[in-house]
Amino acid sequence: MSQICVKAKIQGRVQGVGFRFHTAHEGLKHGLTGYAKNLPDGSVEVLACGHEEAINKLLAWLEQGPKTSNVTHLESDEVDWRHVDGFEIL
């Protein structure tokens, strides 16, 4: 299994609804590292690093997000590998 990092931008009702907390929990559940942070435009940026299969599971989850959110758009790109400790909420 290959190790990759993916950066995703999630748009919709994703701030103020616990999106980052739930994303960090979901990422850790799948053994991933990275971060989730709010962006000034109202979207959330997620960096996730780990096994490709686990990344794909997280991306599938991000398409829906937690029940409190309403995801309208998700875009993701593979980025250069970097070592990250834990899964931070920024």
Side-chain angles (χ1 to χ4, degrees), residues 9-12 14-15 37-45 75:
K9 183 175 181 179
I10 304 95
Q11 297 172 304
V14 293
Q15 289 192 10
K37 73 175 181 178
N38 287 339
L39 296 178
D41 67 1
S43 64
V44 171
E45 178 181 278
E75 58 186 62

Short mmCIF file of all heavy atoms in Angstrom, two decimals, residues 9-12 14-15 37-45 75:
data_model
loop_
_atom_site.label_atom_id
_atom_site.label_comp_id
_atom_site.label_asym_id
_atom_site.label_seq_id
_atom_site.Cartn_x
_atom_site.Cartn_y
_atom_site.Cartn_z
N LYS A 9 -10.63 20.60 -0.29
CA LYS A 9 -11.37 21.80 0.07
C LYS A 9 -12.85 21.44 0.03
O LYS A 9 -13.34 20.95 -0.99
CB LYS A 9 -11.06 22.95 -0.88
CG LYS A 9 -11.75 24.25 -0.51
CD LYS A 9 -11.32 25.39 -1.41
CE LYS A 9 -11.99 26.69 -1.00
NZ LYS A 9 -11.57 27.80 -1.86
N ILE A 10 -13.52 21.67 1.15
CA ILE A 10 -14.92 21.30 1.26
C ILE A 10 -15.74 22.57 1.44
O ILE A 10 -15.44 23.41 2.28
CB ILE A 10 -15.14 20.35 2.48
CG1 ILE A 10 -14.24 19.11 2.37
CG2 ILE A 10 -16.59 19.91 2.54
CD1 ILE A 10 -12.95 19.21 3.09
N GLN A 11 -16.78 22.70 0.60
CA GLN A 11 -17.62 23.89 0.64
C GLN A 11 -19.04 23.49 1.01
O GLN A 11 -19.45 22.35 0.82
CB GLN A 11 -17.60 24.59 -0.72
CG GLN A 11 -16.22 25.11 -1.09
CD GLN A 11 -16.18 25.63 -2.51
OE1 GLN A 11 -16.52 24.92 -3.44
NE2 GLN A 11 -15.75 26.87 -2.66
N GLY A 12 -19.79 24.46 1.49
CA GLY A 12 -21.16 24.26 1.93
C GLY A 12 -21.31 24.80 3.33
O GLY A 12 -20.58 25.70 3.75
N VAL A 14 -20.18 24.17 6.40
CA VAL A 14 -19.13 23.34 7.00
C VAL A 14 -18.38 24.04 8.14
O VAL A 14 -17.50 23.45 8.73
CB VAL A 14 -18.12 22.84 5.92
CG1 VAL A 14 -18.79 21.88 4.97
CG2 VAL A 14 -17.49 24.00 5.17
N GLN A 15 -18.74 25.28 8.43
CA GLN A 15 -18.13 25.97 9.56
C GLN A 15 -19.19 26.18 10.63
O GLN A 15 -20.36 26.46 10.31
CB GLN A 15 -17.52 27.31 9.13
CG GLN A 15 -16.28 27.13 8.28
CD GLN A 15 -15.50 28.43 8.10
OE1 GLN A 15 -15.76 29.44 8.73
NE2 GLN A 15 -14.52 28.38 7.21
N LYS A 37 -8.84 22.73 8.81
CA LYS A 37 -8.87 24.14 9.23
C LYS A 37 -9.90 24.92 8.43
O LYS A 37 -10.16 24.63 7.26
CB LYS A 37 -7.49 24.79 9.10
CG LYS A 37 -7.03 25.07 7.70
CD LYS A 37 -5.69 25.83 7.73
CE LYS A 37 -5.20 26.15 6.34
NZ LYS A 37 -3.95 26.91 6.37
N ASN A 38 -10.49 25.90 9.11
CA ASN A 38 -11.43 26.80 8.47
C ASN A 38 -10.67 27.77 7.58
O ASN A 38 -9.60 28.24 7.95
CB ASN A 38 -12.23 27.59 9.50
CG ASN A 38 -13.26 26.75 10.23
OD1 ASN A 38 -13.68 25.71 9.74
ND2 ASN A 38 -13.67 27.21 11.39
N LEU A 39 -11.25 28.09 6.44
CA LEU A 39 -10.69 29.09 5.54
C LEU A 39 -11.56 30.34 5.57
O LEU A 39 -12.76 30.26 5.87
CB LEU A 39 -10.59 28.53 4.12
CG LEU A 39 -9.65 27.34 3.92
CD1 LEU A 39 -9.69 26.87 2.47
CD2 LEU A 39 -8.22 27.70 4.31
N PRO A 40 -10.99 31.51 5.26
CA PRO A 40 -11.74 32.76 5.32
C PRO A 40 -12.98 32.79 4.41
O PRO A 40 -13.93 33.53 4.70
CB PRO A 40 -10.73 33.82 4.86
CG PRO A 40 -9.39 33.21 5.08
CD PRO A 40 -9.58 31.73 4.92
N ASP A 41 -13.01 31.99 3.35
CA ASP A 41 -14.15 32.00 2.43
C ASP A 41 -15.32 31.13 2.91
O ASP A 41 -16.30 30.95 2.20
CB ASP A 41 -13.73 31.60 1.02
CG ASP A 41 -13.28 30.15 0.92
OD1 ASP A 41 -13.30 29.42 1.94
OD2 ASP A 41 -12.90 29.72 -0.20
N GLY A 42 -15.21 30.57 4.13
CA GLY A 42 -16.30 29.76 4.67
C GLY A 42 -16.16 28.27 4.41
O GLY A 42 -16.99 27.49 4.84
N SER A 43 -15.11 27.88 3.70
CA SER A 43 -14.88 26.47 3.42
C SER A 43 -13.92 25.88 4.46
O SER A 43 -13.42 26.58 5.33
CB SER A 43 -14.31 26.29 2.01
OG SER A 43 -13.04 26.88 1.91
N VAL A 44 -13.70 24.58 4.37
CA VAL A 44 -12.76 23.89 5.25
C VAL A 44 -11.70 23.21 4.39
O VAL A 44 -12.03 22.60 3.36
CB VAL A 44 -13.48 22.84 6.13
CG1 VAL A 44 -12.48 21.96 6.88
CG2 VAL A 44 -14.41 23.52 7.13
N GLU A 45 -10.44 23.34 4.78
CA GLU A 45 -9.33 22.67 4.11
C GLU A 45 -8.90 21.50 4.97
O GLU A 45 -8.76 21.63 6.18
CB GLU A 45 -8.17 23.63 3.93
CG GLU A 45 -6.95 23.00 3.27
CD GLU A 45 -5.81 23.99 3.15
OE1 GLU A 45 -5.84 24.78 2.18
OE2 GLU A 45 -4.92 23.99 4.02
N GLU A 75 -13.36 19.27 -3.56
CA GLU A 75 -12.30 19.09 -4.54
C GLU A 75 -11.06 18.63 -3.80
O GLU A 75 -10.81 19.06 -2.67
CB GLU A 75 -12.04 20.35 -5.35
CG GLU A 75 -11.67 21.56 -4.55
CD GLU A 75 -11.58 22.82 -5.40
OE1 GLU A 75 -12.60 23.21 -5.98
OE2 GLU A 75 -10.48 23.40 -5.45
#
